[in-house]
Short mmCIF file of all heavy atoms in Angstrom, two decimals:
data_model
loop_
_atom_site.label_atom_id
_atom_site.label_comp_id
_atom_site.label_asym_id
_atom_site.label_seq_id
_atom_site.Cartn_x
_atom_site.Cartn_y
_atom_site.Cartn_z
N GLN X 185 -6.03 1.86 -20.68
CA GLN X 185 -6.31 1.25 -19.47
C GLN X 185 -7.83 1.34 -19.07
O GLN X 185 -8.58 0.53 -18.58
CB GLN X 185 -5.51 1.77 -18.27
CG GLN X 185 -4.05 1.43 -18.53
CD GLN X 185 -3.17 2.06 -17.47
OE1 GLN X 185 -3.56 2.53 -16.49
NE2 GLN X 185 -1.84 2.08 -17.76
N ARG X 186 -8.31 2.52 -19.29
CA ARG X 186 -9.70 2.90 -18.89
C ARG X 186 -10.77 2.10 -19.73
O ARG X 186 -11.88 1.94 -19.20
CB ARG X 186 -10.03 4.36 -19.15
CG ARG X 186 -9.31 5.35 -18.17
CD ARG X 186 -10.24 5.45 -17.01
NE ARG X 186 -11.45 6.06 -17.29
CZ ARG X 186 -11.64 7.36 -17.32
NH1 ARG X 186 -10.74 8.22 -17.10
NH2 ARG X 186 -12.81 7.90 -17.71
N ALA X 187 -10.32 1.61 -20.89
CA ALA X 187 -11.19 0.82 -21.80
C ALA X 187 -11.71 -0.47 -21.05
O ALA X 187 -12.77 -0.96 -21.28
CB ALA X 187 -10.61 0.56 -23.09
N TRP X 188 -10.91 -1.02 -20.16
CA TRP X 188 -11.12 -2.23 -19.51
C TRP X 188 -12.36 -2.03 -18.51
O TRP X 188 -12.89 -2.99 -18.05
CB TRP X 188 -9.99 -2.75 -18.72
CG TRP X 188 -8.92 -3.25 -19.84
CD1 TRP X 188 -9.05 -3.49 -21.11
CD2 TRP X 188 -7.38 -3.00 -19.62
NE1 TRP X 188 -7.71 -3.67 -21.66
CE2 TRP X 188 -6.74 -3.36 -20.70
CE3 TRP X 188 -6.67 -2.64 -18.45
CZ2 TRP X 188 -5.33 -3.41 -20.89
CZ3 TRP X 188 -5.23 -2.80 -18.57
CH2 TRP X 188 -4.73 -3.15 -19.73
N LEU X 189 -12.63 -0.77 -18.24
CA LEU X 189 -13.62 -0.55 -17.16
C LEU X 189 -14.96 -0.10 -17.76
O LEU X 189 -15.88 -0.01 -17.10
CB LEU X 189 -13.22 0.65 -16.26
CG LEU X 189 -12.02 0.31 -15.37
CD1 LEU X 189 -11.48 1.61 -14.58
CD2 LEU X 189 -12.35 -0.71 -14.33
N GLY X 190 -14.91 -0.03 -19.12
CA GLY X 190 -16.18 0.31 -19.84
C GLY X 190 -16.33 1.80 -19.95
O GLY X 190 -15.38 2.57 -19.90
N ARG X 191 -17.57 2.25 -20.08
CA ARG X 191 -18.00 3.64 -20.31
C ARG X 191 -18.92 4.11 -19.17
O ARG X 191 -19.89 3.44 -18.94
CB ARG X 191 -18.48 3.83 -21.62
CG ARG X 191 -18.83 5.33 -22.09
CD ARG X 191 -19.19 5.39 -23.51
NE ARG X 191 -20.33 4.51 -23.84
CZ ARG X 191 -21.59 5.00 -23.72
NH1 ARG X 191 -21.79 6.23 -23.47
NH2 ARG X 191 -22.63 4.28 -24.06
N LEU X 192 -18.61 5.34 -18.73
CA LEU X 192 -19.48 5.97 -17.69
C LEU X 192 -20.75 6.59 -18.47
O LEU X 192 -20.52 7.48 -19.24
CB LEU X 192 -18.85 7.05 -16.95
CG LEU X 192 -19.58 7.62 -15.73
CD1 LEU X 192 -19.97 6.70 -14.74
CD2 LEU X 192 -18.72 8.81 -15.19
N GLU X 193 -21.98 5.94 -18.42
CA GLU X 193 -23.12 6.54 -19.09
C GLU X 193 -23.71 7.58 -18.34
O GLU X 193 -24.24 8.58 -19.04
CB GLU X 193 -24.04 5.45 -19.39
CG GLU X 193 -23.66 4.34 -20.37
CD GLU X 193 -24.71 3.40 -20.77
OE1 GLU X 193 -25.74 3.31 -19.89
OE2 GLU X 193 -24.80 2.72 -21.90
N HIS X 194 -23.94 7.54 -17.02
CA HIS X 194 -24.73 8.57 -16.43
C HIS X 194 -24.27 8.55 -14.88
O HIS X 194 -23.84 7.62 -14.21
CB HIS X 194 -26.12 8.05 -16.40
CG HIS X 194 -27.11 8.96 -15.42
ND1 HIS X 194 -27.49 10.16 -15.92
CD2 HIS X 194 -27.71 8.72 -14.32
CE1 HIS X 194 -28.22 10.66 -14.91
NE2 HIS X 194 -28.38 9.66 -13.92
N ILE X 195 -24.31 9.84 -14.35
CA ILE X 195 -23.99 10.05 -12.90
C ILE X 195 -24.89 11.15 -12.40
O ILE X 195 -25.08 12.12 -13.12
CB ILE X 195 -22.55 10.39 -12.63
CG1 ILE X 195 -22.42 10.56 -11.13
CG2 ILE X 195 -22.17 11.55 -13.44
CD1 ILE X 195 -20.98 10.70 -10.70
N LYS X 196 -25.53 10.95 -11.20
CA LYS X 196 -26.48 11.90 -10.68
C LYS X 196 -26.23 12.00 -9.16
O LYS X 196 -26.19 10.91 -8.44
CB LYS X 196 -27.98 11.57 -10.80
CG LYS X 196 -28.89 12.57 -10.35
CD LYS X 196 -30.29 12.06 -10.56
CE LYS X 196 -31.36 13.06 -9.95
NZ LYS X 196 -32.84 12.69 -10.27
N VAL X 197 -25.88 13.11 -8.65
CA VAL X 197 -25.57 13.36 -7.32
C VAL X 197 -26.61 14.33 -6.73
O VAL X 197 -26.93 15.51 -7.26
CB VAL X 197 -24.26 13.93 -7.02
CG1 VAL X 197 -23.85 14.24 -5.59
CG2 VAL X 197 -23.20 13.07 -7.74
N CYS X 198 -27.26 13.96 -5.55
CA CYS X 198 -28.17 14.66 -4.81
C CYS X 198 -27.64 15.01 -3.41
O CYS X 198 -27.41 14.21 -2.68
CB CYS X 198 -29.58 13.85 -4.73
SG CYS X 198 -30.32 13.45 -6.30
N CYS X 199 -27.81 16.32 -3.24
CA CYS X 199 -27.32 16.87 -1.99
C CYS X 199 -28.47 17.70 -1.24
O CYS X 199 -29.28 18.29 -2.09
CB CYS X 199 -26.12 17.72 -2.19
SG CYS X 199 -24.61 16.93 -2.86
N GLY X 200 -28.51 17.70 0.01
CA GLY X 200 -29.60 18.39 0.64
C GLY X 200 -29.37 18.28 2.18
O GLY X 200 -28.37 18.17 2.56
#
Side-chain angles (χ1 to χ4, degrees):
Q185 297 176 13
R186 286 275 297 274
W188 299 329
L189 293 171
R191 182 171 62 90
L192 183 64
E193 285 191 341
H194 171 76
I195 178 170
K196 181 179 180 181
V197 180
C198 298
C199 300

